[in-house]
């Protein structure tokens, strides 16, 4: 297997990993980016969502080698060190997290959702988060946070 | 108003860590030389283990150790003890507690029971090895349903426990209850099930065990909700002294009860860590969690309500058969017995009550407390039978409830179940909930639904529950000369936000900036004791311990302040973070007193530097009674049976609200889990084979964003409890108590024109459709 | 997961060569079915041939009569493509209701139909619209393509290249999702083409099937009301934890009526 090269959080990365290494394994085990979480084996929970070339994908359901040459963004790379992305900010303001385990996937999915849908409403947020399970919050605060986060992203031209 | 004061919606301190991916959960921890464990589990519900052949597996690449039940038996480890102290009714004897070993020995009694531990250099290698272990089973007939388990001739799960009965239980006045029933104008009776569910925290369980030969001691990092209690349990199993086991919980990704229990995996890992001299990690995968995480609820009950001709409640009689699974788990026998008995009758004035229960063994994963542990069951029972009574007596269900609520001027009182209800105003909460729910607009909404071919229904569900969990809690506060304060508490947050709310309490009481307070929890080295999480005890117990510690600190600081102001402690008052000499009006800030506490020269002669460090144990005398009122409006599609919970209102009385943001979060999360149980969640075992049918997220449905209604919340804060220094009643489990009855009754209200009076949870589309289609269908 | 070899060819020829050379190979498209299955150790291919970067498998083209979609086109691309939304909006809407956004960003048309999950959505569209499947060796009519439970007419090594959908004047799809997996408990696709009305049902049988009685009724009167009084036999329909055969039979009629209403509104 040739070396794998890709960009992770705007940094070039090359790695020598087995074919069966999932993108989530690459991020968590090889790159130490443990903010991407694993909550299931059947690709249902969304705790592992990251952006690949700007699109939300489940990193547990993609081989690392399939991301050859791609740009991957994880929760750690969403904002600069010491700052929060507007979506992270909105989650905090709206108490949209409790245990925090679903949160990275939830935020990455929400950022993609906000970028893809200039006119988000509540129904669109619910549909957009169909692949992200949260067991703590009851979702209402998450929905509010995503709407608010999307609005402030538009304000900051991050759309 | 102070920025961080009690009652302020302070944003959470822990959030920045979680939002940026810097939380440290169990699977984020690694260790040099780490090896990985996999558990081989029984594929059968009931089978003799004739032989385990691991000879091939032993030789596979990377394999380091394989441990079977026989090996475990040879080591002579103890079974995992239950901590449930319920006594049987007749003899008062302890319950029947069969030995629960970490690995099945000779016989497996449920699908997923651990049969062997495999440790290898990588988890893939361990898995490969697990697959090549040959286990020779002789299958036995299983029984998974608790009612069937009690029938004559049912398969016996334990040779020496006749009839599969763990214990029988009674509470209340049977004679008075029977008498009231005999004299009643109406008796309404309902048989119902409380479906079996499981917590499904999004983080699965997992642990890393380490052993240090030099000190002959262990370190266990574990995704648990309860380090102290489980340390005792694991130490018991391994026959070591608890102080040889340092038990630490890192960030924990949700628990809801399922991470409270004394599970078999950690002792296995500790054993392997010692044997191999290397750290051993195990992380459950999700499918494994469905088999191996404790389940909750699963009660079959008969509820009877006696009423007079005016619809006044006279007596309540409930009998329950609770499913325990194959073993007594940590608190399993408590839930269907004492756990469900105490809050029978909810907030209603019912002069006579009697509760009886049998806890039965079955070939299923054992049950243990799940968010509410008996109180949601009790709340569901009373609310369902009241709804049915309204229907049968032809009284408006809202009116029937209003007529029977305990009045505020009758408090405090002890219910016939022995619950001390001290403060509250149930009728006022009920009225407020009704007002919020826009009853005036309801008729119009019904019309609009009808125009779209849908049925609309409404129900209101007041509830009264109680807190629980360990009755003691520790809080320690240490001060450092650089101004930082460390607060260590034995209660534990798995998402509830104690890292914010407990420093918030300490900061507010001491008048110091809460940002200077570092918070430590979930570590047996940090506190001498701790009750962890469970029973909505976080603020009640942890918060009260912090408050007590703060008061002790203030008392000591008062002496220092008096010394510094050349006054006497009696003349010193404390408010808003400052000590004031009431005579001279001179004052000094708490922060200055803290700074002075490090300098002998500024201290009274009987005090020493570091004297402000404080450790206290708070002990509760009486459990608290959170209460409130839920209301739901639903739409039902009669063609498909689909339910849409459209609107939702709640008014809760949790006593004093420390942080409304966090309290609301608890309510909404509880409602989501209650909604899940009411509409979609269900653990199903195949009756014949005992196989777990709902073994993955492909079959076990969880609520998603689009399942949830718009929830409107309010708090009633006029009735704080005097049972603890904070006046808090507990918030964590209330949502689970109110939501199932509110939602189920609203659906049945929508279907009243169809003559539907009962549907068992979960109200899946097919069940609803069948209930509506009724006679039109073949059976 | 078991070990395997990974290959990423750039052309159909290279893919075929790699396939022939391997012991027990499988094509890998979006991986949204294959990877979960492999993670649970329910499949153990010796080689995975990633067809994601083969240019011939990508792209959507449309003319007056037909819409052609490359096998590697993701559900998200189908859902958002203007050409699809204009010529067969029901197809775009179907794609937009498969799984969730992350699944739609990876999962592909080719992978979905090659897998032929009895609860998958696309098979209903292909059959109702009378689509044809272009493979590396031939063209197969949709109805002949789906042959049984997880089975298709594809031969060993044969790859789906693209699917051609005749443009229809009106069509509608209605799905009743499984509450846990979100696949179709039942899905009904109703389409009126120049020649006739076709109604395909997914989720209810071993594989997608056409509902003759419903077609006949809609043929006479293409309106939801035409289905009043029609019932479907539960015999042979799937029965599982989430829905009995009888309930599925009911859903077929209810969804057919709603799909017909959507088609009429389109
Ligand atoms: C959480 C979740 C929810 C889902 N919900 C739905 C849903 O609601 N409805 C639905 O229909 N589906 C659903 N799916 C399945 C999804 O649509 C998959 O994308 C699809 O079934 C398979 O497509 P793929 O591109 O991912 O194929 P892969 O997983 O890569 O491959 C699947 C199979 O097809 C073969 N294959 C792939 N491409 C070709 C080709 N061009 N020629 C020949 N063989 C090929 C592969 O060898 C493999 O055997 C869901 C999946 C997940 C994970
Ligand atoms: S870990 Fe659950 S979807 Fe990826
Ligand atoms: S915050 Fe705990 S799962 Fe979402």
């Amino acid at each position: 297997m040739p070396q794998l090269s890709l960009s992770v959080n705007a940094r070039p990365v090359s790695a020598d990993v087995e074919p069966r290494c999932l993108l989530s394994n690459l991020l968590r085990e090889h790159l130490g980016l443990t903010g991407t979480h694993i909550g299931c084996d059947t690709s249902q929970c969304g705790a592992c969502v990251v952006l690949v070339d700007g699109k939300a994908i489940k990193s547990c359901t993609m081989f690392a080698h399939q991301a050859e040459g791609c740009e991957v963004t994880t929760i750690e790379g969403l904002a600069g060190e010491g700052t929060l992305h507007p979506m992270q900010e909105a989650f905090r303001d709206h108490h949209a997290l409790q245990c925090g385990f679903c949160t990275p996937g939830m935020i990455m999915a929400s950022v993609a959702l906000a970028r893809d849908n200039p006119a988000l409403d509540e129904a669109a947020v619910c549909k957009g988060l169909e692949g992200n399970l949260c067991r703590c919050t009851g979702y209402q605060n998450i929905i509010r946070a995503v709407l608010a986060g999307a609005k402030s992203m538009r304000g900051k031209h991050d759309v | 108003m102070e920025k961080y004061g009690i009652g302020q919606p302070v944003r959470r301190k822990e959030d920045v860590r979680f939002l940026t991916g810097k939380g440290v959960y169990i699977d984020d921890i690694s260790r040099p030389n780490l090896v990985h464990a996999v558990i081989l589990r029984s594929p059968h519900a009931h089978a003799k283990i004739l032989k385990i052949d691991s000879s091939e597996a032993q030789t596979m690449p990377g394999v380091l150790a394989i441990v079977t039940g026989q090996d475990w038996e040879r080591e002579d480890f103890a079974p995992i003890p239950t901590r449930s102290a319920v006594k049987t009714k007749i003899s008062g004897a302890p319950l029947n507690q069969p030995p629960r070993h970490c690995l099945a020995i000779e016989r497996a009694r449920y699908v997923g029971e651990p049969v062997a531990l495999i440790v290898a250099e990588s988890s893939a290698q361990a898995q490969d090895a697990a697959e090549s272990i040959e286990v020779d089973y002789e299958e036995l007939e299983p029984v998974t349903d608790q009612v069937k388990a009690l029938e004559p001739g049912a398969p016996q799960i334990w040779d020496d426990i006749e009839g599969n009965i763990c214990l029988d239980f009674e509470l209340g006045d049977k004679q008075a209850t029977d008498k009231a029933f005999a004299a009643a104008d109406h008796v309404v009776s309902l048989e119902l099930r409380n479906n079996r569910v499981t917590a499904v925290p999004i983080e699965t369980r997992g642990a890393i065990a380490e052993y240090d030969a030099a000190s002959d001691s262990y370190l266990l990092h574990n995704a648990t909700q309860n380090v102290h209690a489980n340390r005792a349990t694991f130490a018991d199993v391994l026959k070591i002294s608890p102080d040889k086991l340092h038990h630490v919980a890192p960030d924990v990704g949700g628990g809801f009860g399922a991470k409270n229990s004394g599970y078999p995996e950690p002792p296995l890992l500790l054993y392997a860590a010692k044997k191999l001299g290397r750290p051993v990690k195990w992380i459950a995968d999700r499918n494994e969690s469905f088999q191996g995480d404790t389940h909750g609820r699963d009660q079959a009950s008969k509820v009877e309500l006696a009423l007079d001709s005016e619809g006044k409640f006279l007596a309540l009689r409930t009998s329950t058969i609770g499913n325990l699974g194959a073993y007594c788990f940590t608190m399993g026998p408590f839930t269907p017995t004492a756990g469900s008995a105490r809050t029978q009758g909810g907030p209603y004035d019912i002069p006579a009550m009697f509760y009886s229960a049998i806890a039965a063994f079955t070939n299923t994963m054992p049950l243990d407390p799940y968010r509410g542990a008996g109180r949601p069951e009790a709340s569901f029972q009373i609310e369902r039978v009241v709804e049915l009574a309204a229907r049968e007596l032809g009284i408006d269900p809202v009116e029937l409830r209003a007529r029977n609520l305990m009045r505020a001027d009758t408090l405090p009182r002890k219910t016939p179940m022995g619950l001390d209800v001290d403060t509250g105003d149930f009728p006022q909460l009920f009225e407020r909930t009704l007002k919020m729910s826009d009853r005036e607009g309801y008729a119009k909404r019904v019309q609009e639904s009808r125009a779209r071919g849908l049925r609309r229904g409404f129900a209101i569900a007041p509830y009264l529950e109680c807190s629980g969990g360990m009755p003691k809690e520790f809080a320690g506060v240490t001060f450092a000369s650089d101004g930082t304060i460390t607060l260590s508490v034995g209660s534990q947050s798995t998402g509830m936000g104690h890292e914010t709310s407990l420093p918030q309490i300490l900061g507010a009481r001491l008048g110091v900036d809460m940002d200077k307070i570092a918070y430590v929890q979930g570590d047996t080295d940090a506190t001498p004791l701790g009750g962890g999480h469970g029973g909505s005890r976080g603020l009640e117990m942890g918060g009260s311990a912090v408050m007590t510690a703060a008061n002790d600190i203030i008392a000591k600081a008062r002496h220092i302040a008096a010394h510094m102001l050349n006054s006497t402690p009696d003349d010193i008052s404390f408010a808003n973070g400052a000590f004031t000499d009431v005579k001279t009006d001179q004052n000094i800030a708490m922060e200055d007193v803290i700074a002075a506490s490090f300098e002998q020269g500024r201290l009274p002669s009987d005090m020493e530097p570091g004297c402000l460090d404080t450790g206290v144990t708070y002990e509760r005398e009486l459990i608290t009674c959170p209460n409130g009122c839920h209301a739901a409006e639903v739409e039902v599609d009669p063609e498909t049976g689909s339910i849409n919970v459209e609107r939702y209102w709640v008014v809760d009385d949790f006593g004093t609200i420390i942080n409304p943001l966090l309290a609301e979060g608890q309510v909404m999360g509880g409602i989501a889990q209650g909604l899940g149980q009411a509409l979609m969640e269900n653990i199903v075992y195949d009756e014949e084979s005992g196989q777990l049918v709902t073994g993955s997220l492909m079959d076990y449905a969880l609520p998603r964003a689009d399942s949830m209604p718009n929830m409107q919340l309010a708090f009633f804060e006029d009735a704080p409890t005097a049972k603890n220094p904070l006046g808090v009643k507990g918030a964590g489990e209330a949502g689970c108590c109110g939501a199932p009855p509110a939602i189920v009754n609203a659906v049945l209200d929508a279907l009243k024109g169809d003559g539907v009076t009962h549907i068992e949870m979960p109200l899946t589309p097919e069940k609803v459709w069948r209930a509506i289609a009724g006679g039109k269908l073949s059976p | 997961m078991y070990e395997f070899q990974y290959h990423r060819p750039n052309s159909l020829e290279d893919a075929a060569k790699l396939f022939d050379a391997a012991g027990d190979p499988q094509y890998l498209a979006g991986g949204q079915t294959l990877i979960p299955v492999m993670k649970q150790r329910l499949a153990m291919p010796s080689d995975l041939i990633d067809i994601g970067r083969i240019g011939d498998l990508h792209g959507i083209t449309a003319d007056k009569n037909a819409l052609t979609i490359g096998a590697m086109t993701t559900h998200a691309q189908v859902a958002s493509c203007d050409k699809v939304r204009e010529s067969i909006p029901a197809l775009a809407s179907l794609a937009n209701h498969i799984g969730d956004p992350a699944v739609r960003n990876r999962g592909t048309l080719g992978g979905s139909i090659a897998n032929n999950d009895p609860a998958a959505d696309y098979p209903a569209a292909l059959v109702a619209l009378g689509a044809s499947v272009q493979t590396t060796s031939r063209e197969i009519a949709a109805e002949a393509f789906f042959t049984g439970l997880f089975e298709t007419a594809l031969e060993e090594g044969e790859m789906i290249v693209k699917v051609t959908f005749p443009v229809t004047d009106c069509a509608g799809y209605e799905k009743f999702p499984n509450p846990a997996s979100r696949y179709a408990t039942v899905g009904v696709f109703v389409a009126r083409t120049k020649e006739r009305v076709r109604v395909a049902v997914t989720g209810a049988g071993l594989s997608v099937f056409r509902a003759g009685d419903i077609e006949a009724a809609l043929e006479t009167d293409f309106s939801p009301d035409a289905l009043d009084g029609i019932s479907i036999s539960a015999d042979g329909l799937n029965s599982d934890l989430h829905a009995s055969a009888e309930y599925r039979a009911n859903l077929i009629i209810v969804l057919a009526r709603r799909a017909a209403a959507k088609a009429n509104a389109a």
Side-chain angles (χ1 to χ4, degrees), chain B residues 94-114:
Chain B
L95 47 85
N96 278 317
Q97 185 186 174
R100 175 163 72 92
H101 285 284
C102 293
L103 292 170
I105 297 170
E106 288 173 1
R107 195 154 136 194
R109 290 179 172 83
Y110 63 93
V111 167
E113 178 161 9

Side-chain angles (χ1 to χ4, degrees), chain B residues 123-125 127-129 131 287 454 637 639-642 680 684 693-694 696-704 706-707 764-766 769-770 777-779, chain C residues 1-3 39-42 44 99-100 117 176-183 239-251 253-255 257-258:
Chain B
S123 101
Q125 287 170 330
Q127 221 161 6
D128 290 342
E131 280 174 19
N287 296 2
L454 306 174
D637 177 346
E639 292 185 333
T640 62
S642 304
M680 59 189 89
V684 179
V693 181
T694 47
S696 82
L697 284 173
M698 296 288 281
D699 287 314
Y700 189 89
L702 291 182
R704 298 176 203 234
D706 67 356
S707 320
T764 59
E766 170 153 13
W769 170 76
R770 280 190 180 273
L777 290 163
S778 57
Chain C
M1 196 179 318
Y2 300 106
E3 285 179 42
K39 278 202 292 188
Q40 294 175 81
R41 299 190 154 214
L42 300 171
M44 46 183 315
D100 56 61
D117 189 304
F176 193 80
N178 174 310
S181 73
R182 298 286 175 151
Y183 277 75
S239 193
D240 56 33
L241 180 68
H242 298 286
S244 67
E246 208 171 16
Y247 180 57
R248 280 192 161 90
N250 168 66
L251 283 181
I253 295 292
V254 172
L255 300 180
R257 219 185 289 132
R258 293 178 187 181

Side-chain angles (χ1 to χ4, degrees), chain A residues 24 37-49 58-61 131, chain B residues 202 697, chain C residues 39:
Chain A
S24 55
H37 295 157
I38 298 300
C40 73
D41 342 309
T42 49
S43 305
Q44 245 121 7
C45 75
C48 62
V49 168
K58 291 177 175 171
S59 63
C60 75
T61 317
Chain B
I202 302 301
L697 284 173
Chain C
K39 278 202 292 188

